[in-house]
Amino acid sequence: MKQNETLTTHISLILNGLLLQGLTTAVIAPGSRSTPLALALAQLAHEQRIELFVDVDERSAAFFALGIAKKINKPVLLICTSGTAAANFYPAICEAKISQVPLLIMTTDRPPELTKVAAPQALDQDHFFGNQVKSFFELPLPETNHDSQNYTNYIVQKSFQIAQNQPAGPVHLNQPFRKPLMPDLPIKLDHNQQKYTSFSSQTTLSSNLIKKVHTNLSNKRGIILAGPNQNALSNIAMLEWAKKSGWPILADPLSQLRGISSPNIITCYDSLLKTNSDKLIALMPEIIIRTGQTFVAASLASFLKKSQATIYSLDEENALNDYTKTTTFSLETSAEDFFNQIPPVNPLTEWLKEWSAIEKVYTSINKINSTDILNELEVVRAIASTGSKKLNLFVSNSMPIRDIDSVLQPLNAFRIFCNRGANGIDGIVSTALGVSTKSAENLLLIGDLAFFHDMNGLMMAKKYHLKIKIIVINNNGGGIFSFLPQAGSSNFEEVFGTPLDIDIEQVAQLYHAHYSLAETVTSLKKYLRTPAHNLEIIEVRTDRKDNVALRQELINQFANHIQTTKES
């Protein structure tokens, strides 16, 4: 068999194996060594077998793929050429690993005879991403040997399954190619190619454990801490159990529970814990059930450490991911299985009412200011009042996600995304644009530094005519540092404030985006209610120092209202 035919058979085997497993989307960062896969994927895209995106910036491409995978919750294929191209995937892979997002990374490579001998554009790509991937596999060079072909088919399908199985995450395949790199097109898919099937199993708790846990939970003041989560079935089971048991649910903004109309949903916890109110004594639980991933609010970590409660952590992967080190019992089960199998407990009189009363107090003061003056908290309130159920809100790290955590009480339950694995500000624009490829109504809330950090990502919105609104909070620097102890130090502005003086309107023109400057709450809400027809950038100019004072004022006001309510 000719070398081109062998190459063609090999890449057909790989791509057909992935299609058999359910691959729908691929992202390519173009380069020479990945030519065979790129051309074959382009063919499959024209045949509408997959959706293909091409991003010339590898770092942006990886975060873009991450965003798509977040939205569809299944592996996305990410491909690059050899050399430092793969190194630019690293930040997104770190994020995917920690936040359990399924990615299938395929780096292409020089053949063995051109590695470790200083050949151009050649690095040692063996286990290139180390412990940041779930698994690594070196694929063989294209061969006519049937054992080698069967191995290739098995490994690519297994890799897809590993990426998708809980805990989901990134898997790395390294594929060496020899020249010539041109396959015989069009490739042909073998409809008789063997498919490998895996089955996921549900966790069934033992009857003894169910009885013991139920006994421990009964007649106790209990709360549920609902952390970041994308499993709607878990939330349904949790909410139903909480309603019957009379337990409050402290809902992280990424729990996907905010906006659901229920007296069990509590959103005021971050501000409440910062009030240091005497009311906290009456609200201290005896039992805490933790679900989801790490919370946004650092105040909850302090709360857990001070609490004398028995803490159950629902840890499906038995990963012991608890940086507070406060877990009493770790249960290797999902929230869905736990709340479906543990019978509800009899609600205690007044327990939920006390929490609901505090929530109502907070809601009464957490309203848009009648003066129409726009600030960083008012931006969140405007989003909360205008976002429809179809909205996909992506929130940047640093101050935006903290403002969302503290203030967001949406009228509708819309999807909220954030890169809360490694918590970095890199790749935020690209990840949000990846999410937007699979939805019609999209909004990104981001600060000026994070926006600048991933400006290259905007090219994908221009290239693929993506519909998304981007609110850029422009406080000319790193707003979060104003809340930290170094805020009062000398040279603070130079080292931490780092003002960049970005002209957001000029950036919008560069990427053919529609630009608006929102100067009032009314104007911002108008922009948000108008459907996006392409990339739209809405600038909101704020003062970093004002935001510190605004948040403290809200906490003080909340504390005063709690005291007044208590006395009356």
Side-chain angles (χ1 to χ4, degrees), residues 277-434:
S277 169
D278 293 340
K279 186 66 177 176
L280 283 169
I281 298 173
L283 297 173
M284 290 301 288
E286 297 171 283
I287 298 284
I288 297 173
I289 299 176
R290 284 194 61 180
T291 75
Q293 296 175 303
T294 302
F295 289 84
V296 170
S299 58
L300 278 175
S302 300
F303 169 71
L304 289 172
K305 290 177 181 178
K306 293 177 182 178
S307 170
Q308 300 298 313
T310 299
I311 301 175
Y312 287 86
S313 178
L314 307 187
D315 186 7
E316 185 176 10
E317 290 83 39
N318 195 26
L320 298 178
N321 288 330
D322 175 18
Y323 81 98
T324 67
K325 304 175 186 67
T326 56
T327 297
T328 312
F329 298 106
S330 181
L331 302 181
E332 195 173 347
T333 182
S334 68
E336 181 184 357
D337 290 335
F338 179 89
F339 289 110
N340 278 330
Q341 294 178 60
I342 302 294
V345 297
N346 293 326
L348 292 179
T349 306
E350 303 300 318
W351 173 241
L352 179 59
K353 288 182 180 179
E354 290 186 44
W355 275 96
S356 296
I358 294 293
E359 178 75 3
K360 288 177 182 177
V361 171
Y362 190 69
T363 301
S364 70
I365 65 172
N366 185 30
K367 294 185 180 297
I368 291 178
N369 195 312
S370 59
T371 62
D372 205 32
I373 296 173
L374 195 55
N375 57 55
E376 296 184 28
L377 297 185
E378 297 293 4
V379 169
V380 176
R381 294 180 181 125
I383 294 171
S385 64
T386 59
S388 75
K389 293 180 180 179
K390 296 180 180 179
L391 177 65
N392 290 271
L393 171 64
F394 201 99
V395 186
S396 177
N397 283 311
S398 199
M399 282 314 302
I401 189 59
R402 287 168 173 81
D403 288 340
I404 287 284
D405 187 25
S406 297
V407 178
L408 186 74
Q409 294 180 311
L411 297 178
N412 295 298
F414 46 73
R415 290 283 298 278
I416 307 176
F417 299 87
C418 184
N419 286 345
R420 289 303 288 178
N423 299 357
I425 65 166
D426 45 347
I428 299 296
V429 172
S430 298
T431 315
L433 291 176

Side-chain angles (χ1 to χ4, degrees), residues 30-34 58 80-86 108-110 114-115 118-125:
S32 176
R33 192 61 52 166
S34 55
E58 285 87 2
C80 73
T81 188
S82 63
T84 57
T108 52
D109 201 357
R110 265 45 180 166
L114 291 179
T115 58
Q121 202 174 326
L123 297 176
D124 184 356
Q125 294 178 196

Side-chain angles (χ1 to χ4, degrees), residues 453-472:
H453 206 282
D454 194 27
M455 267 173 43
N456 282 3
L458 293 170
M459 184 58 72
M460 293 298 281
K462 175 185 173 184
K463 181 176 181 179
Y464 291 100
H465 308 289
L466 302 178
K467 297 178 181 179
I468 186 171
K469 296 177 185 288
I470 300 178
I471 299 177
V472 181

Side-chain angles (χ1 to χ4, degrees), residues 12-22 153 156-157 160 193-194:
S12 300
L13 197 68
I14 291 173
L15 296 181
N16 195 33
L18 294 177
L19 290 173
L20 289 172
Q21 288 298 314
N153 180 38
V156 295
Q157 294 194 44
F160 191 96
Q193 184 170 327
Q194 182 174 351

Side-chain angles (χ1 to χ4, degrees), residues 159-209:
S159 297
F160 191 96
Q161 293 170 2
I162 293 173
Q164 188 164 244
N165 293 342
Q166 294 300 320
V171 173
H172 178 203
L173 294 169
N174 191 54
Q175 175 62 72
F177 286 127
R178 286 195 180 99
K179 291 183 178 180
L181 299 171
M182 283 296 297
D184 294 327
L185 298 176
I187 64 169
K188 296 179 182 179
L189 303 180
D190 182 1
H191 298 294
N192 295 317
Q193 184 170 327
Q194 182 174 351
K195 178 182 178 180
Y196 297 95
T197 304
S198 67
F199 298 94
S200 58
S201 59
Q202 284 190 320
T203 302
T204 301
L205 303 178
S206 69
S207 57
N208 287 338
L209 181 60

Side-chain angles (χ1 to χ4, degrees), residues 476-491:
N476 200 22
I480 194 170
F481 298 108
S482 298
F483 289 83
L484 301 179
Q486 58 263 46
S489 61
S490 59
N491 302 318

